[in-house]
Coordinates of all heavy atoms in Angstrom, one line a residue:
V1 N 16.2 10.9 18.0 CA 15.0 10.7 18.8 C 15.3 11.0 20.2 O 16.2 10.5 20.8 CB 14.5 9.2 18.6 CG1 13.3 9.0 19.5 CG2 14.2 8.9 17.2
T2 N 14.5 11.9 20.8 CA 14.5 12.2 22.2 C 13.4 11.5 22.9 O 12.2 11.8 22.6 CB 14.5 13.7 22.5 OG1 15.6 14.3 21.8 CG2 14.6 14.0 24.0
C3 N 13.7 10.6 23.8 CA 12.7 9.8 24.5 C 12.2 10.6 25.7 O 12.9 11.4 26.4 CB 13.2 8.5 25.0 SG 13.7 7.4 23.6
P4 N 10.9 10.5 26.1 CA 10.4 11.2 27.3 C 10.9 10.5 28.6 O 11.4 9.4 28.6 CB 8.9 10.9 27.2 CG 8.7 9.6 26.4 CD 9.9 9.6 25.5
A5 N 10.7 11.3 29.7 CA 11.0 10.7 31.0 C 10.2 9.4 31.1 O 9.1 9.2 30.7 CB 10.6 11.7 32.1
G6 N 10.9 8.4 31.7 CA 10.2 7.1 31.9 C 10.6 6.1 30.8 O 10.1 5.0 30.7
A7 N 11.4 6.6 29.8 CA 11.8 5.7 28.7 C 13.3 6.0 28.3 O 13.8 7.0 28.8 CB 10.9 6.0 27.5
Y8 N 13.9 5.2 27.5 CA 15.2 5.4 27.0 C 15.3 4.9 25.6 O 14.5 4.2 25.1 CB 16.2 4.6 27.9 CG 16.0 3.1 27.8 CD1 16.7 2.3 26.9 CD2 15.2 2.4 28.7 CE1 16.6 0.9 26.9 CE2 15.0 1.1 28.6 CZ 15.7 0.3 27.7 OH 15.5 -1.0 27.7
F9 N 16.3 5.4 24.9 CA 16.5 5.1 23.5 C 17.2 3.7 23.4 O 18.3 3.6 23.9 CB 17.3 6.1 22.7 CG 17.4 5.8 21.2 CD1 16.3 6.0 20.4 CD2 18.5 5.4 20.7 CE1 16.3 5.8 19.0 CE2 18.6 5.1 19.3 CZ 17.5 5.3 18.5
S10 N 16.6 2.8 22.7 CA 17.2 1.5 22.5 C 17.8 1.4 21.1 O 17.1 1.4 20.1 CB 16.1 0.4 22.7 OG 16.7 -0.9 22.3
D11 N 19.2 1.3 21.1 CA 19.8 1.1 19.8 C 19.4 -0.1 19.0 O 19.1 0.0 17.8 CB 21.4 1.0 20.0 CG 22.0 2.4 19.9 OD1 21.5 3.3 19.4 OD2 23.2 2.5 20.5
G12 N 19.2 -1.2 19.7 CA 18.8 -2.4 19.0 C 17.4 -2.3 18.3 O 17.2 -2.8 17.2
E13 N 16.5 -1.6 19.0 CA 15.2 -1.4 18.4 C 15.0 -0.1 17.6 O 14.0 0.1 17.0 CB 14.1 -1.5 19.5 CG 14.1 -2.9 20.2 CD 13.0 -2.9 21.2 OE1 12.0 -2.2 21.2 OE2 13.2 -3.7 22.2
R14 N 16.0 0.8 17.8 CA 16.0 2.1 17.2 C 14.7 2.9 17.5 O 14.1 3.5 16.7 CB 16.1 2.0 15.6 CG 17.3 1.3 15.1 CD 18.7 1.8 15.4 NE 18.9 3.2 14.9 CZ 19.8 4.0 15.4 NH1 20.5 3.7 16.4 NH2 19.9 5.2 14.9
A15 N 14.3 2.7 18.8 CA 13.1 3.4 19.3 C 13.1 3.6 20.8 O 14.0 3.0 21.4 CB 11.9 2.5 18.9
C16 N 12.2 4.3 21.3 CA 12.1 4.5 22.8 C 11.5 3.2 23.4 O 10.6 2.6 22.9 CB 11.2 5.7 23.1 SG 11.9 7.3 22.5
T17 N 12.1 2.8 24.5 CA 11.6 1.7 25.3 C 11.3 2.1 26.7 O 12.1 2.9 27.3 CB 12.7 0.6 25.3 OG1 13.1 0.2 24.0 CG2 12.3 -0.6 26.1
E18 N 10.1 1.7 27.2 CA 9.8 2.1 28.5 C 10.7 1.5 29.6 O 11.1 0.3 29.4 CB 8.3 1.7 28.8 CG 7.3 2.6 28.1 CD 5.9 2.2 28.6 OE1 5.7 1.2 29.3 OE2 5.0 3.1 28.3
C19 N 11.0 2.2 30.7 CA 11.7 1.6 31.8 C 10.8 0.5 32.3 O 9.6 0.6 32.3 CB 11.9 2.7 32.9 SG 13.0 4.0 32.4
P20 N 11.4 -0.6 32.8 CA 10.6 -1.7 33.3 C 9.9 -1.4 34.6 O 10.2 -0.4 35.3 CB 11.6 -2.9 33.4 CG 12.9 -2.2 33.5 CD 12.8 -0.9 32.8
A21 N 9.0 -2.3 35.0 CA 8.3 -2.2 36.3 C 9.3 -2.1 37.4 O 10.4 -2.6 37.4 CB 7.4 -3.5 36.5
N22 N 8.9 -1.3 38.4 CA 9.6 -1.1 39.7 C 10.9 -0.3 39.4 O 11.9 -0.4 40.2 CB 9.9 -2.3 40.4 CG 8.6 -2.9 41.0 OD1 7.8 -2.2 41.5 ND2 8.4 -4.2 40.8
T23 N 10.9 0.5 38.3 CA 12.0 1.4 38.0 C 11.3 2.7 37.5 O 10.1 2.7 37.2 CB 13.0 0.9 36.9 OG1 12.3 0.9 35.7 CG2 13.6 -0.4 37.3
F24 N 12.1 3.8 37.4 CA 11.6 5.0 36.9 C 12.7 5.7 36.1 O 13.9 5.4 36.3 CB 11.1 5.9 38.0 CG 12.1 6.5 38.9 CD1 12.6 7.8 38.7 CD2 12.7 5.7 39.9 CE1 13.6 8.3 39.5 CE2 13.7 6.3 40.7 CZ 14.1 7.5 40.6
G25 N 12.4 6.6 35.2 CA 13.3 7.4 34.5 C 13.0 8.9 34.6 O 12.0 9.3 34.1
S26 N 13.7 9.6 35.5 CA 13.3 11.0 35.8 C 13.7 12.0 34.7 O 13.1 13.1 34.7 CB 13.9 11.4 37.1 OG 15.3 11.4 37.1
Q27 N 14.6 11.7 33.8 CA 15.0 12.6 32.8 C 14.6 12.2 31.4 O 14.7 11.0 31.1 CB 16.6 12.7 32.9 CG 17.1 13.1 34.2 CD 16.8 14.6 34.5 OE1 16.8 15.4 33.6 NE2 16.5 14.9 35.8
A28 N 14.2 13.1 30.6 CA 14.0 12.9 29.2 C 15.3 12.7 28.5 O 16.3 13.3 29.0 CB 13.1 14.0 28.6
G29 N 15.3 12.0 27.4 CA 16.5 11.9 26.6 C 17.5 10.8 27.0 O 18.7 10.8 26.6
A30 N 17.2 9.9 27.9 CA 18.1 8.8 28.3 C 18.4 8.0 27.0 O 17.6 7.7 26.2 CB 17.4 7.9 29.3
V31 N 19.7 7.6 26.9 CA 20.1 6.9 25.7 C 20.4 5.4 26.0 O 20.9 4.7 25.1 CB 21.4 7.6 25.1 CG1 21.0 9.0 24.6 CG2 22.5 7.7 26.1
C32 N 20.2 4.9 27.2 CA 20.4 3.5 27.5 C 19.6 3.1 28.7 O 19.1 4.0 29.4 CB 21.9 3.2 27.6 SG 22.7 4.0 29.0
A33 N 19.5 1.8 28.9 CA 18.7 1.3 30.1 C 19.2 1.8 31.4 O 18.4 1.9 32.4 CB 18.7 -0.2 30.0
S34 N 20.5 2.2 31.5 CA 21.0 2.8 32.8 C 20.3 4.1 33.2 O 20.4 4.5 34.3 CB 22.5 2.9 32.7 OG 22.8 3.9 31.8
G35 N 19.5 4.7 32.3 CA 18.7 5.9 32.6 C 17.6 5.5 33.5 O 16.9 6.4 34.0
C36 N 17.3 4.2 33.6 CA 16.2 3.8 34.5 C 16.8 3.4 35.8 O 17.8 2.7 35.9 CB 15.5 2.6 33.9 SG 14.8 2.8 32.3
Q37 N 16.2 4.0 36.9 CA 16.7 3.7 38.3 C 15.7 2.9 39.0 O 14.4 3.0 38.8 CB 16.9 5.1 39.0 CG 17.8 6.0 38.3 CD 17.8 7.4 38.9 OE1 16.9 7.8 39.6 NE2 18.8 8.2 38.6
S38 N 16.1 2.1 40.0 CA 15.2 1.3 40.8 C 14.4 2.2 41.7 O 14.8 3.3 42.1 CB 16.1 0.4 41.7 OG 16.7 -0.6 41.0
C39 N 13.2 1.8 41.9 CA 12.3 2.6 42.8 C 12.9 2.6 44.2 O 13.5 1.6 44.6 CB 10.9 1.9 42.9 SG 9.9 2.1 41.4
P40 N 12.7 3.6 45.0 CA 13.2 3.6 46.4 C 12.4 2.6 47.2 O 11.3 2.2 46.8 CB 12.9 5.0 46.9 CG 12.0 5.7 45.9 CD 12.1 4.9 44.6
A41 N 12.9 2.2 48.3 CA 12.2 1.2 49.2 C 10.8 1.8 49.5 O 10.6 3.0 49.6 CB 13.0 1.1 50.5
N42 N 9.9 0.9 49.7 CA 8.5 1.2 50.0 C 7.7 1.9 48.9 O 6.9 2.7 49.2 CB 8.4 1.9 51.4 CG 9.1 1.2 52.5 OD1 8.8 0.1 52.8 ND2 10.1 1.9 53.1
S43 N 8.1 1.6 47.7 CA 7.4 2.2 46.5 C 7.4 1.2 45.4 O 8.0 0.2 45.4 CB 8.1 3.5 46.1 OG 9.3 3.2 45.5
F44 N 6.6 1.5 44.3 CA 6.5 0.6 43.2 C 6.2 1.5 41.9 O 5.9 2.7 42.0 CB 5.4 -0.4 43.4 CG 4.0 0.3 43.5 CD1 3.2 0.4 42.4 CD2 3.6 0.8 44.7 CE1 2.0 1.1 42.5 CE2 2.3 1.4 44.8 CZ 1.5 1.6 43.7
S45 N 6.3 0.9 40.8 CA 5.9 1.5 39.5 C 5.5 0.4 38.5 O 6.0 -0.7 38.6 CB 7.0 2.3 38.9 OG 7.9 1.5 38.1
P46 N 4.6 0.8 37.6 CA 4.2 -0.2 36.6 C 5.2 -0.2 35.4 O 5.1 -1.0 34.5 CB 2.8 0.4 36.1 CG 3.0 1.9 36.3 CD 3.8 2.0 37.6
G47 N 6.1 0.8 35.5 CA 7.1 0.9 34.4 C 6.7 2.1 33.5 O 5.5 2.5 33.5
G48 N 7.7 2.7 32.8 CA 7.4 3.8 31.9 C 7.0 5.1 32.6 O 6.3 5.9 32.0
V49 N 7.4 5.3 33.8 CA 7.0 6.5 34.6 C 8.3 7.3 35.0 O 9.4 6.8 35.0 CB 6.2 6.1 35.8 CG1 4.9 5.5 35.4 CG2 7.0 5.2 36.7
A50 N 8.0 8.6 35.3 CA 9.1 9.5 35.7 C 9.3 9.5 37.2 O 10.3 10.0 37.7 CB 8.7 10.9 35.3
A51 N 8.4 8.9 38.0 CA 8.6 8.7 39.4 C 7.8 7.5 39.9 O 6.8 7.1 39.3 CB 8.1 9.9 40.2
C52 N 8.3 6.8 40.9 CA 7.6 5.7 41.5 C 6.4 6.2 42.4 O 6.4 7.4 42.7 CB 8.5 4.8 42.2 SG 9.8 4.1 41.1
T53 N 5.6 5.3 42.9 CA 4.5 5.6 43.7 C 4.8 5.0 45.1 O 5.0 3.8 45.3 CB 3.2 4.9 43.2 OG1 3.0 5.4 41.8 CG2 2.0 5.2 44.0
C54 N 4.8 5.9 46.1 CA 5.0 5.5 47.5 C 3.8 4.6 48.0 O 2.6 4.9 47.6 CB 5.1 6.7 48.4 SG 6.6 7.7 48.1
N55 N 4.1 3.6 48.7 CA 3.0 2.7 49.2 C 2.2 3.5 50.2 O 2.6 4.5 50.8 CB 3.6 1.5 50.0 CG 4.4 0.6 49.1 OD1 4.1 0.5 47.9 ND2 5.3 -0.2 49.6
A56 N 0.9 3.0 50.5 CA 0.1 3.6 51.6 C 0.9 3.5 52.9 O 1.6 2.5 53.1 CB -1.2 2.9 51.7
G57 N 0.8 4.5 53.7 CA 1.6 4.6 55.0 C 3.0 5.2 54.8 O 3.7 5.3 55.8
Y58 N 3.4 5.5 53.6 CA 4.7 6.1 53.3 C 4.5 7.4 52.5 O 3.7 7.4 51.6 CB 5.6 5.1 52.5 CG 5.9 3.9 53.4 CD1 5.1 2.8 53.5 CD2 7.1 3.8 54.1 CE1 5.4 1.7 54.3 CE2 7.4 2.8 54.9 CZ 6.6 1.7 55.0 OH 6.9 0.6 55.7
A59 N 5.4 8.3 52.7 CA 5.3 9.6 52.0 C 6.6 9.9 51.4 O 7.7 9.5 51.8 CB 4.9 10.7 53.0
G60 N 6.5 10.7 50.3 CA 7.7 11.1 49.6 C 7.5 11.5 48.2 O 6.3 11.5 47.7
D61 N 8.5 11.7 47.4 CA 8.4 12.1 46.0 C 8.5 11.0 45.0 O 8.3 11.2 43.8 CB 9.5 13.2 45.7 CG 10.9 12.7 45.8 OD1 11.1 11.4 45.9 OD2 11.8 13.5 45.7
G62 N 8.8 9.8 45.5 CA 8.8 8.6 44.6 C 10.1 8.5 43.8 O 10.2 7.6 43.0
Q63 N 11.0 9.4 44.0 CA 12.3 9.4 43.3 C 13.5 9.1 44.3 O 14.3 8.4 44.0 CB 12.5 10.6 42.5 CG 11.6 10.8 41.3 CD 11.9 12.0 40.5 OE1 12.6 12.9 40.9 NE2 11.4 12.1 39.3
T64 N 13.4 9.9 45.4 CA 14.6 9.8 46.3 C 14.3 8.9 47.5 O 15.2 8.2 48.0 CB 15.0 11.2 46.8 OG1 13.9 11.8 47.4 CG2 15.5 12.0 45.6
A65 N 13.1 9.0 48.1 CA 12.7 8.2 49.3 C 11.2 8.2 49.5 O 10.5 9.1 49.1 CB 13.4 8.8 50.5
C66 N 10.8 7.1 50.1 CA 9.4 7.0 50.6 C 9.6 6.6 52.1 O 10.0 5.5 52.4 CB 8.6 5.9 49.9 SG 8.3 6.4 48.2
T67 N 9.2 7.6 53.0 CA 9.5 7.4 54.4 C 8.2 7.1 55.2 O 7.1 7.7 54.9 CB 10.0 8.8 55.0 OG1 11.2 9.1 54.2 CG2 10.4 8.7 56.4
A68 N 8.3 6.2 56.1 CA 7.1 5.8 56.9 C 6.5 7.0 57.6 O 7.2 7.8 58.2 CB 7.5 4.7 57.9
C69 N 5.2 7.0 57.7 CA 4.5 8.0 58.5 C 4.8 7.8 59.9 O 4.9 6.7 60.4 CB 2.9 7.9 58.3 SG 2.4 8.2 56.6
E70 N 5.0 8.9 60.6 CA 5.3 8.8 62.1 C 4.1 8.4 62.9 O 2.9 8.7 62.4 CB 5.8 10.2 62.5 CG 7.1 10.7 61.9 CD 8.3 10.0 62.5 OE1 8.3 9.7 63.7 OE2 9.3 9.9 61.8
P71 N 4.2 7.9 64.1 CA 3.1 7.7 64.9 C 2.3 9.0 65.1 O 2.9 10.0 65.2 CB 3.7 7.2 66.3 CG 5.0 6.5 65.8 CD 5.5 7.4 64.7
G72 N 1.0 8.9 65.1 CA 0.1 10.1 65.2 C -0.2 10.6 63.8 O -0.9 11.6 63.7
S73 N 0.2 10.0 62.7 CA -0.1 10.4 61.4 C -0.4 9.1 60.5 O -0.1 8.0 60.9 CB 1.0 11.2 60.8 OG 2.1 10.5 60.6
F74 N -0.9 9.4 59.3 CA -1.3 8.3 58.4 C -1.3 8.7 57.0 O -1.3 9.9 56.7 CB -2.7 7.7 58.8 CG -3.8 8.6 58.4 CD1 -4.6 8.3 57.3 CD2 -4.1 9.8 59.0 CE1 -5.6 9.1 56.9 CE2 -5.1 10.6 58.6 CZ -5.9 10.3 57.5
K75 N -1.3 7.8 56.1 CA -1.5 8.1 54.6 C -2.3 6.8 54.1 O -1.7 5.7 54.1 CB -0.2 8.3 53.9 CG -0.4 8.7 52.5 CD 1.0 9.2 51.9 CE 1.0 9.1 50.4 NZ 1.6 7.9 49.9
S76 N -3.5 7.1 53.7 CA -4.4 5.9 53.4 C -4.2 5.3 52.0 O -4.6 4.2 51.8 CB -5.9 6.4 53.6 OG -6.2 7.4 52.7
A77 N -3.7 6.1 51.1 CA -3.6 5.6 49.7 C -2.1 5.7 49.2 O -1.4 6.5 49.7 CB -4.5 6.4 48.8
A78 N -1.8 4.8 48.3 CA -0.5 4.9 47.6 C -0.5 6.2 46.8 O -1.5 6.7 46.3 CB -0.4 3.7 46.7
G79 N 0.7 6.8 46.7 CA 0.9 8.0 45.9 C 2.0 8.8 46.5 O 2.5 8.5 47.6
T80 N 2.4 9.9 45.8 CA 3.3 10.8 46.4 C 2.5 11.8 47.3 O 1.3 11.8 47.2 CB 4.0 11.6 45.3 OG1 3.0 12.2 44.4 CG2 4.9 10.7 44.4
G81 N 3.2 12.5 48.1 CA 2.5 13.4 49.0 C 2.8 13.1 50.5 O 3.7 12.3 50.8
S82 N 2.2 13.8 51.4 CA 2.5 13.8 52.8 C 1.6 12.9 53.6 O 0.5 12.6 53.2 CB 2.4 15.3 53.3 OG 3.2 16.1 52.6
C83 N 2.1 12.6 54.8 CA 1.2 12.0 55.8 C 0.4 13.0 56.4 O 0.7 14.2 56.5 CB 2.1 11.3 56.9 SG 3.2 10.0 56.2
E84 N -0.8 12.6 56.9 CA -1.8 13.6 57.5 C -1.9 13.2 59.0 O -1.8 12.1 59.4 CB -3.1 13.5 56.9 CG -3.1 13.9 55.4 CD -4.5 13.8 54.8 OE1 -5.5 14.2 55.5 OE2 -4.6 13.5 53.6
P85 N -2.0 14.3 59.8 CA -2.1 14.0 61.3 C -3.5 13.4 61.6 O -4.5 13.7 60.9 CB -2.0 15.4 61.9 CG -2.4 16.3 60.9 CD -2.0 15.7 59.5
C86 N -3.5 12.5 62.6 CA -4.8 12.0 63.1 C -5.5 13.2 63.8 O -4.9 14.1 64.3 CB -4.5 10.9 64.2 SG -3.7 9.4 63.5
V87 N -6.9 13.1 63.7 CA -7.7 14.2 64.3 C -7.9 13.9 65.7 O -7.7 12.8 66.2 CB -9.0 14.3 63.5 CG1 -8.8 14.8 62.1 CG2 -9.8 13.1 63.6
A88 N -8.4 14.9 66.5 CA -8.7 14.7 67.9 C -9.6 13.5 68.1 O -10.6 13.4 67.3 CB -9.3 16.0 68.5
G89 N -9.3 12.7 69.1 CA -10.2 11.5 69.3 C -9.7 10.3 68.6 O -10.3 9.2 68.7
E90 N -8.7 10.4 67.7 CA -8.1 9.2 67.0 C -6.6 9.2 67.2 O -6.0 10.2 67.6 CB -8.4 9.4 65.5 CG -9.9 9.3 65.2 CD -10.2 9.2 63.7 OE1 -9.3 9.6 62.9 OE2 -11.3 8.9 63.3
F91 N -6.0 8.0 66.9 CA -4.5 7.9 67.1 C -4.0 6.8 66.1 O -4.8 6.0 65.6 CB -4.2 7.5 68.5 CG -4.5 6.1 68.8 CD1 -3.5 5.1 68.8 CD2 -5.8 5.7 69.1 CE1 -3.8 3.8 69.1 CE2 -6.1 4.3 69.3 CZ -5.1 3.4 69.4
S92 N -2.7 6.9 65.9 CA -2.0 5.8 65.3 C -0.7 5.6 66.1 O 0.0 6.6 66.3 CB -1.7 6.1 63.8 OG -0.7 7.1 63.7
S93 N -0.5 4.4 66.6 CA 0.6 4.2 67.5 C 1.9 3.7 66.9 O 3.0 3.8 67.4 CB 0.2 3.2 68.6 OG -0.2 2.0 68.1
G94 N 1.8 3.2 65.6 CA 3.0 2.7 65.0 C 3.4 3.5 63.8 O 2.7 4.5 63.4
F95 N 4.5 3.1 63.2 CA 5.0 3.8 62.0 C 4.2 3.2 60.8 O 3.7 2.1 60.8 CB 6.5 3.5 61.8 CG 7.3 4.3 62.7 CD1 7.6 3.8 64.0 CD2 7.8 5.6 62.4 CE1 8.4 4.5 64.9 CE2 8.5 6.3 63.3 CZ 8.9 5.8 64.5
A96 N 4.1 3.9 59.7 CA 3.5 3.5 58.4 C 2.0 3.2 58.5 O 1.5 2.3 57.8 CB 4.3 2.3 57.8
A97 N 1.3 3.9 59.3 CA -0.1 3.7 59.5 C -0.9 4.1 58.2 O -0.5 5.1 57.6 CB -0.7 4.5 60.7
T98 N -1.9 3.4 57.9 CA -2.8 3.7 56.8 C -4.1 4.2 57.2 O -4.9 4.7 56.4 CB -3.0 2.5 55.9 OG1 -3.5 1.4 56.6 CG2 -1.6 2.0 55.3
V99 N -4.4 4.1 58.5 CA -5.6 4.7 59.1 C -5.3 5.1 60.5 O -4.3 4.6 61.1 CB -6.8 3.6 59.1 CG1 -7.2 3.2 57.8 CG2 -6.4 2.4 60.0
C100 N -6.2 6.0 61.1 CA -6.1 6.3 62.5 C -7.2 5.5 63.2 O -8.3 5.3 62.5 CB -6.3 7.8 62.7 SG -4.9 8.8 62.1
E101 N -7.1 5.2 64.4 CA -8.1 4.4 65.1 C -8.7 5.3 66.2 O -8.1 6.2 66.7 CB -7.4 3.2 65.8 CG -6.7 2.3 64.9 CD -6.0 1.2 65.6 OE1 -6.6 0.6 66.5 OE2 -4.8 0.9 65.3
A102 N -10.0 5.0 66.5 CA -10.7 5.8 67.5 C -10.1 5.4 68.9 O -9.7 4.3 69.1 CB -12.2 5.4 67.5
C103 N -10.0 6.4 69.7 CA -9.5 6.1 71.1 C -10.5 5.2 71.8 O -11.7 5.2 71.6 CB -9.4 7.4 71.9 SG -8.1 8.5 71.2
E104 N -10.0 4.4 72.7 CA -10.9 3.5 73.5 C -11.7 4.3 74.5 O -11.4 5.5 74.8 CB -10.0 2.6 74.4 CG -9.1 1.6 73.6 CD -8.2 0.8 74.5 OE1 -8.5 0.7 75.7 OE2 -7.2 0.3 74.0
A105 N -12.8 3.8 74.9 CA -13.7 4.4 75.8 C -12.9 4.8 77.1 O -12.1 4.1 77.6 CB -14.9 3.5 76.2
G106 N -13.1 6.1 77.5 CA -12.4 6.6 78.7 C -11.0 7.2 78.4 O -10.4 7.7 79.2
R107 N -10.6 7.1 77.1 CA -9.3 7.7 76.7 C -9.6 8.7 75.6 O -10.6 8.5 74.9 CB -8.4 6.6 76.2 CG -8.0 5.7 77.3 CD -6.9 4.7 76.8 NE -6.4 3.8 77.8 CZ -5.4 4.0 78.6 NH1 -4.6 5.1 78.4 NH2 -5.0 3.1 79.5
H108 N -8.8 9.6 75.4 CA -9.0 10.6 74.4 C -7.7 11.2 73.9 O -6.6 11.1 74.5 CB -9.9 11.7 74.9 CG -9.3 12.6 75.9 ND1 -9.3 12.2 77.3 CD2 -8.7 13.8 75.9 CE1 -8.8 13.1 78.0 NE2 -8.4 14.1 77.2
S109 N -7.8 11.8 72.7 CA -6.7 12.6 72.1 C -7.2 14.0 72.0 O -8.2 14.2 71.3 CB -6.3 12.0 70.7 OG -5.5 12.8 70.0
V110 N -6.6 14.9 72.6 CA -7.1 16.3 72.6 C -6.5 17.2 71.5 O -7.0 18.2 71.2 CB -6.8 17.0 74.0 CG1 -7.6 16.3 75.1 CG2 -5.4 17.0 74.4
Q111 N -5.4 16.7 70.9 CA -4.9 17.5 69.9 C -4.4 16.6 68.8 O -4.2 15.5 68.9 CB -3.7 18.4 70.4 CG -2.5 17.5 70.9 CD -1.4 18.4 71.5 OE1 -1.6 19.5 71.8 NE2 -0.3 17.8 71.6
E112 N -4.2 17.3 67.6 CA -3.6 16.5 66.5 C -2.2 16.2 66.9 O -1.5 17.0 67.5 CB -3.7 17.4 65.2 CG -5.1 17.6 64.7 CD -5.1 18.5 63.5 OE1 -4.1 18.9 63.0 OE2 -6.3 18.7 63.0
S113 N -1.8 15.0 66.5 CA -0.4 14.6 66.9 C 0.2 13.9 65.7 O -0.4 13.4 64.9 CB -0.4 13.7 68.1 OG -1.2 12.6 67.9

């Protein structure tokens, strides 16, 4: 039996068993629970998946790293993918922003940052 990514072959059950929550299995054909790896920091999984999901405000592939969005960028939803720059007139001053904020009256952002 060849198990799909996100699962491993369990001798005791003689069947494929899903990797548990907050772990992932990137390779098909794992033959023991050690085929499941812990999710990287700032990510999660429900179990039985080939990659974890990066938290909102963090970008990455869900297998190797989930890195905080830099100031001037944001990522509003959990998932793999990139941070997006704030548009002119908005900003994010800290790391791991999930939204950009409007500039205060009398202040502005002239370029994407």
Side-chain angles (χ1 to χ4, degrees):
V1 174
T2 300
C3 298
Y8 63 93
F9 185 76
S10 171
D11 269 338
E13 296 181 29
R14 308 292 302 155
C16 294
T17 300
E18 288 188 346
C19 292
N22 295 314
T23 68
F24 70 100
S26 61
Q27 301 292 322
V31 294
C32 61
S34 64
C36 301
Q37 302 169 343
S38 294
C39 289
N42 305 304
S43 69
F44 64 93
S45 85
V49 296
C52 296
T53 301
C54 294
N55 295 336
Y58 293 84
D61 63 10
Q63 292 182 344
T64 57
C66 292
T67 306
C69 296
E70 295 281 331
S73 66
F74 74 105
K75 186 165 158 270
S76 61
T80 54
S82 303
C83 299
E84 297 183 35
C86 295
V87 298
E90 295 185 346
F91 74 101
S92 67
S93 59
F95 288 90
T98 58
V99 296
C100 293
E101 301 175 48
C103 295
E104 295 177 22
R107 296 186 177 264
H108 66 279
S109 167
V110 294
Q111 64 183 16
E112 294 180 355
S113 57

